[in-house]
Amino acid sequence: MAVRAVRGAVQLERDEAGHMDEQVSELLTAVLERNGLTADDLISIWFTATPDLHSDFPAAAARKLGIVDVPLICAQELDIEGAMPRVVRVLAHIESDLPRAEIAHVYLGSAGALRKDIAQ
């Protein structure tokens, strides 16, 4: 079993805790499903949020999904002029037999514009 990393992002419509919880849950669920993973395959997850998001920690959504014994950390994304607003990004370290080239990175909705090189 190899250690791999999978990326993802979602753009929120508004900075509200319930909306963040819903959107981050959808992102994490998609990452797990598209890569055939369960919570037991997770090693750790890094979340970043753009500086305009203040309503909650993205990691709270993971805990509500039942990801309770995996190390999680949240950080603020760089405040770059012209960057897409209200974005939560995820970097999950996983155990997987998938070759690196077969890892499905997940960019939902408008966040797909962040990685046009990755077919969604």
Side-chain angles (χ1 to χ4, degrees):
M1 186 88 42
V3 173
R4 300 282 185 232
V6 59
R7 289 287 320 268
V10 64
Q11 183 182 37
L12 279 59
E13 294 175 16
R14 59 195 174 280
D15 183 23
E16 294 176 4
H19 180 62
M20 179 181 291
D21 181 60
E22 175 185 292
Q23 294 297 298
V24 174
S25 293
E26 183 179 339
L27 175 61
L28 291 173
T29 299
V31 166
L32 293 172
E33 288 177 355
R34 293 183 193 181
N35 289 287
L37 303 169
T38 68
D40 287 338
D41 299 315
L42 297 170
I43 297 169
S44 65
I45 306 175
W46 285 76
F47 296 91
T48 64
T50 50
D52 52 1
L53 294 175
H54 308 280
S55 62
D56 203 358
F57 294 99
R63 297 295 185 220
K64 290 177 186 173
L65 281 177
I67 301 171
V68 295
D69 63 349
V70 174
L72 309 176
I73 193 164
C74 297
Q76 189 175 77
E77 192 70 35
L78 294 173
D79 191 10
I80 303 298
E81 187 174 326
M84 184 179 287
R86 300 177 316 281
V87 174
V88 174
R89 291 173 173 86
V90 62
L91 172 64
H93 300 97
I94 62 171
E95 291 181 321
S96 176
D97 287 327
L98 289 174
R100 189 175 304 170
E102 291 182 25
I103 297 293
H105 304 284
V106 179
Y107 291 81
L108 298 179
S110 299
L114 296 170
R115 291 299 305 266
K116 293 177 183 177
D117 58 318
I118 297 175
Q120 294 293 303

